[in-house]
Amino acid sequence: MSQLESIIWHVLGYSAMPVIIIGGFAAVAAICIWLLSITADKEETS
């Protein structure tokens, strides 16, 4: 494996875990906000 390939694989390897963690956190937050908006008390002001 060339030096460039080695660098690319190291960058991909070290960046995968933070991307998975942050992406998972964002997905769970979006789903929770969506569920809360569906089940929220809808109060009509008139």
Side-chain angles (χ1 to χ4, degrees), residues 2-22:
S2 70
Q3 187 66 30
L4 178 61
E5 287 176 316
S6 178
I7 291 172
I8 290 172
W9 281 113
H10 276 90
V11 169
L12 287 175
Y14 286 123
S15 63
M17 189 61 74
V19 167
I20 291 169
I21 292 172
I22 293 170

Side-chain angles (χ1 to χ4, degrees), residues 19-39:
V19 167
I20 291 169
I21 292 172
I22 293 170
F25 176 79
V28 169
I31 290 170
C32 289
I33 290 172
W34 176 68
L35 284 174
L36 284 171
S37 71
I38 286 178
T39 60

